[in-house]
Amino acid sequence: MTEGAQACPARTAAPKCLKWALANPEQTPSGIWAGTSPLQRRILLARLANRLGIRSC
């Protein structure tokens, strides 16, 4: 795990950071945001869409 991934979850801004990264995937295609990788964010978005009954294109 990278240093950024280890440090970010401990920050108090991590929930806001993750929420922003998930809401703006086109602006966060790479890098660690709130301790999550791009793949982890795609998985989270897919799970959220599934829970909400939203079908992706």
Side-chain angles (χ1 to χ4, degrees):
M1 184 178 279
T2 67
E3 184 178 331
Q6 293 172 344
C8 195
R11 297 175 165 261
T12 57
K16 287 183 182 180
C17 178
L18 180 57
K19 192 182 296 186
W20 187 88
L22 292 174
N24 299 282
E26 66 284 348
Q27 295 182 32
T28 58
S30 62
I32 301 296
W33 288 81
T36 62
S37 69
L39 175 60
Q40 290 169 320
R41 291 190 299 276
R42 286 192 300 273
I43 291 169
L44 287 170
L45 280 174
R47 287 180 181 170
L48 178 60
N50 187 43
R51 288 181 74 178
L52 296 174
I54 300 169
R55 301 290 175 231
S56 58
C57 299

